[in-house]
DNA sequence: GGACGGATCTGAAGCGCTTCAGTCATGCTG
DNA sequence: CAGCATGACTGAAGCGCTTCAGATCCGTCC
C-alpha cells in the first residue's frame, strides 16, 4: 500500500533511500535526516524508519552517493615512495602510517593507500582516480609524477619529510641536524675512520658504493640530507674520502651486506654511520660476523630510534625522531586542510641523539 | 563565445565535464567519451577536447561522480585485525598486503586500508562508509563487528586466513598441518621438553602464560590452529603440560620476553615452537641472553619463513608459507568477485617445513 | 485571539558523471 | 539510385544522496 507505484517487483535490487521512504511513507529527505540529523525529526518516526531500513536490508546511505552530494569523500590518500614491502620492512614507515591512520579514523575518514612503484611513487592514473579529498605524500622523490597528478586535481596535500613543495602543508624533521649530531658525537669520541651506510638515493633500488656523481643525483630528500649531514661534519673535520654504501632499501639484510664491504676498506672504519636503524641492525650483525665487536672494534649509529633500537645487541646509539607524532601531525594537518583551514607554516618535530652502548672511543 | 550562457563568471569553481563541453562546443557525452571511449569520436575532436581540458585545468572525470554513475568505486577495502603498528611489525602482514596491492593496482583499483583497533577489527562505521566494492578481511577475529557491517552492505568479501565465513571467497593456509610438521620434526629429533610461544589468541593484547581456559577462548583462528597443531602432536606423543606463552603481538621483543619465562620452566625446554618467525627471532635472542646456544641447548622453530629467517643467527628452521602469493591470490579473487564471477572453492596455498640450523637433537 | 516561534516534515534542485537509444551524414554496395 | 551499414555525435534519463527554502501544524504569549 505505502509502496511506490510500479517499481515493486524488483526484489533483488538493493534498497535505497527511496525504497525506505516509500515503505515508511515519508519523503526521502526525512530518511536522510534519520541518518544524518536525528534532531530534525521525532524520535518515534526515526525509529520507525530505522526499523523499516533494517527489515529491508538497507544498511545506510551509500557512501559514494553521499560523497557526491556532499562533495567530500571522507578519505585521505596516502602516497608512498616505495612498494609496500620495502616501506613496511622499516618501522619508520609503519609507525608513521599508524599515527596517521588512527588520527583520521577518529573522524570517520578512511585511508586510501597508494604504494609506490619503481619510479618512486604511485602511478599518476592511480592518483587521478583515487577517491580522496586530501593527499599525504611520504618520502616521494622530488620529481614524482604523482605530485603533479595531485596538483592537477587541485586537491590539498600534506607532505611529510619530503619533497618540499610550494603550497603544501608540511611536517618535517631536521634530518641534516640529526645526522650532524651523530657524526659529531663519533668525532668527539675520537674516531677518524668512518664508513657510511645509506638507503636509496633515488627510486629504483641500486646497491653499491656511492661516488660524488651518484650523490649529486639524489632525489630522495631524506637520504640526501642525512648523507650530507654525516659527510659535511666529517669534511669540516678534515676527513674526506669516506666510503659510502647505498643499499636499495632500509632493510637489515641489506645493511649487513653493505657493512661487509665497508669493513673491507683500508683503513678499516672504526665507526659506521647508518641512515636508519634497520641498516644499523644489519651493521651490528655484520660486525659480529666479521669476528669484531661493537662497540670495542667498531662503533655504530642508527637513525630513527625504532622500538627495537634499545633492545639491539648492543643497544643502539641513534638519532631519535618521534615517528608516531609525525604521523599524527600529518593526520591533523590533513584534517585541517579538509576543513578549509590554512595549513600554516611547516610543523617541525624534534630530533635528538640518544646515546646507548653501540658507540665508544676507538681503541 | 562557445561558452554556456550565464554561468561564466564563476571562475574559481572547479571545471567539470560540462565546462569543457561548453567551451569546446560539444555535448557532455562526447567529452566523457574522449576520456573513456576514445574510439567513439574522431581523433581530431578528441584532441581538441583534451587540449581544452588542459587549458581549463580540468583533470579528468571526477572519481566520485564516475563511481556513482558506474556503480563501481574501483577500490578494494582491506580490513585488518590489528592496529597498523602491530600488523606491520610482522612481515607476514606487509608482504601479503604488498601482493594484494600490486594485483589490484594493476587494474586501476585503489586500496582502502582499514586497520583494526582493540576489539580486533575496524569499526563498523568505518566499514559502512568506506568507498569500496569488495572487501578483503585479513586475520580478523571470528566475531568482528566489521564482518557484519560488510554483510549488511551486501558486498562481496574475500577472507584470507580467517575467519571462515559462509559465502565469502577464501584463501587459506594449512596452519594446523604446518604447525604439526614443525612439532613432529622436533619430536623426531628426540626432544621431550617443549615450550610454545604464540601471539594473541584474542584481540586486546594480553601477555602471559596460557592455560586451558584461555586457549578455549581463542578467537583468532590462525593462532588457534597453530597452537593446536603444536600441542596435539605433542599430546599424541604423550607430552602434556607444555608451557605456552602468549605475546600480545608478533614482535621479536615480545618473543624475547616470553622466552625468558619459558626458559625458567622446570624442566627447561630443549625446544621452542614459535607461532611466527618474529617471535622466533626474539626467542633466539633470549636463548643467547641466557648464556645458552641455539641449537646446542635449545632448538627453535618459527612459522612463515619471512625473508630474514634464512639470515637469522642461526638460520631459522621454520614453516614456510608463500606470503606474497597469498596476497596476490586474494587480490585476484577480489577482482573476480568484482567482475561478478563466482568465488569458487577456497584457494589453498601450500606450507612446507624448511629445515635450517636452529634445530638439532637435544644433547 | 492573533501573531509568533518551534518542531516536523516535504519538494525539488542539484552533485558530476555514464550510457543508451537515437539522429544525421556519409560512403558503399549491387 | 535505393538501401544500408558505419561512424560521429547528442539528449536525456538516471546513479543515490544532501540540503535548503518552504509548508504545516500546534502550543504559547501577551
Amino acid at each position: 500500500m505505502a509502496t511506490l507505484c510500479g517499481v515493486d517487483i524488483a526484489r533483488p535490487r538493493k534498497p535505497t533511500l527511496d525504497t525506505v521512504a516509500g515503505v515508511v511513507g515519508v519523503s526521502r529527505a526525512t530518511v536522510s535526516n534519520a541518518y544524518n540529523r536525528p534532531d530534525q525529526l521525532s524520535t518515534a518516526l526515526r525509529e520507525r524508519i530505522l526499523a523499516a531500513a533494517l527489515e529491508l536490508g538497507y544498511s545506510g546511505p551509500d557512501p559514494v552517493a553521499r560523497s557526491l552530494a556532499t562533495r567530500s569523500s571522507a578519505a585521505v590518500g596516502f602516497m608512498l615512495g616505495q612498494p609496500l614491502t620495502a616501506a613496511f620492512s622499516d618501522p619508520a614507515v609503519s609507525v608513521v602510517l599508524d599515527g596517521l591512520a588512527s588520527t583520521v579514523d577518529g573522524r570517520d575518514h578512511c585511508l586510501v593507500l597508494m604504494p609506490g612503484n619503481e619510479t618512486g611513487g604511485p602511478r599518476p592514473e592511480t592518483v587521478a582516480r583515487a577517491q580522496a579529498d586530501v593527499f599525504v605524500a611520504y618520502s616521494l622523490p622530488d620529481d614524482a609524477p604523482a605530485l603533479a597528478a595531485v596538483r592537477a586535481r587541485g586537491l590539498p596535500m600534506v607532505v611529510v619529510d619530503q619533497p618540499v613543495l610550494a603550497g603544501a602543508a608540511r611536517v618535517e624533521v631536521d634530518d641534516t641536524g640529526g645526522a650532524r649530531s651523530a657524526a659529531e658525537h663519533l668525532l668527539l669520541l675520537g674516531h677518524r675512520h668512518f664508513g657510511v651506510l645509506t638507503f636509496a638515493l633515488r627510486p629504483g633500488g641500486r646497491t653499491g658504493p656511492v661516488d660524488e656523481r651518484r650523490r649529486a643525483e639524489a632525489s630522495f630528500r631524506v637520504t640526501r640530507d642525512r648523507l650530507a649531514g654525516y659527510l659535511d661534519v666529517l669534511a669540516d673535520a678534515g676527513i674526506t674520502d669516506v666510503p659510502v654504501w647505498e643499499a636499495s632499501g632500509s632493510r637489515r639484510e641489506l645493511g649487513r651486506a653493505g657493512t661487509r664491504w665497508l669493513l673491507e676498506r683500508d683503513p678499516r672504519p672504526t665507526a659506521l654511520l647508518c641512515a636508519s636503524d634497520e641498516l644499523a641492525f644489519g651493521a651490528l650483525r655484520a660486525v659480529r660476523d666479521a669476528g669484531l665487536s661493537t662497540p670495542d672494534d667498531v662503533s655504530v649509529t642508527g637513525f630513527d630510534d625504532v622500538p627495537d633500537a634499545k633492545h639491539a645487541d648492543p643497544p643502539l646509539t641513534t638519532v631519535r625522531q618521534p615517528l608516531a607524532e609525525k604521523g599524527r601531525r600529518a593526520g591533523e594537518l590533513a584534517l585541517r586542510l579538509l576543513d578549509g583551514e590554512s595549513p600554516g607554516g611547516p610543523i617541525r618535530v624534534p630530533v635528538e641523539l640518544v646515546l646507548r652502548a653501540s658507540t665508544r672511543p676507538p681503541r
Side-chain angles (χ1 to χ4, degrees), chain A residues 11 17 65-66 96 123 137 187 227 273 305:
Chain A
R11 257 290 94 169
L17 256 197
R66 151 188 269 262
V96 169
R123 297 182 308 132
L187 226 35
L227 188 53
L273 290 155
D305 196 26

Side-chain angles (χ1 to χ4, degrees), chain A residues 120-133:
Chain A
R123 297 182 308 132
E125 297 81 28
T126 305
V127 174
R129 303 178 86 109
Q131 301 187 13
D133 21 43

Side-chain angles (χ1 to χ4, degrees), chain A residues 90 92 173-186 189 194-199 222 225-227 229-230 250 252 255 259 271-284 294 298-310 312 314-321 323 351-360:
Chain A
D90 192 341
V173 151
D174 185 6
D175 287 293
T176 311
R180 294 184 66 96
S181 66
E184 281 158 2
H185 162 65
L186 289 171
L189 288 179
F194 291 83
V196 174
L197 204 51
T198 178
F199 43 76
V222 169
D225 283 3
R226 294 190 187 170
L227 188 53
Y230 292 147
S250 184
R252 48 187 87 187
T259 303
L272 262 22
L273 290 155
C274 306
S276 75
D277 286 352
E278 285 297 310
L279 289 175
F281 295 147
L284 293 178
T294 302
V298 183
S299 288
V300 173
T301 67
F303 204 114
D304 288 339
D305 196 26
V306 301
D308 278 351
K310 74 156 83 63
L316 190 67
T317 293
T318 189
V319 179
R320 168 182 303 160
Q321 56 167 324
L323 295 170
V351 295
E352 169 197 9
L353 183 66
V354 181
L355 299 180
R356 298 209 183 91
S358 69
T359 50
R360 82 156 52 146

Side-chain angles (χ1 to χ4, degrees), chain A residues 66-67 70-77 100-112 131-135 331-332 334-339:
Chain A
R66 151 188 269 262
S67 288
T70 58
R71 291 169 220 55
S72 135
S73 60
V76 352
L100 177 68
S102 35
T103 303
V104 304
D105 187 57
R107 273 257 304 255
D108 279 342
H109 283 243
C110 277
L111 232 197
V112 176
Q131 301 187 13
D133 21 43
V134 57
F135 285 80
E332 290 161 8
L335 294 178
R336 278 185 50 180
L337 289 179
L338 283 187
D339 293 341

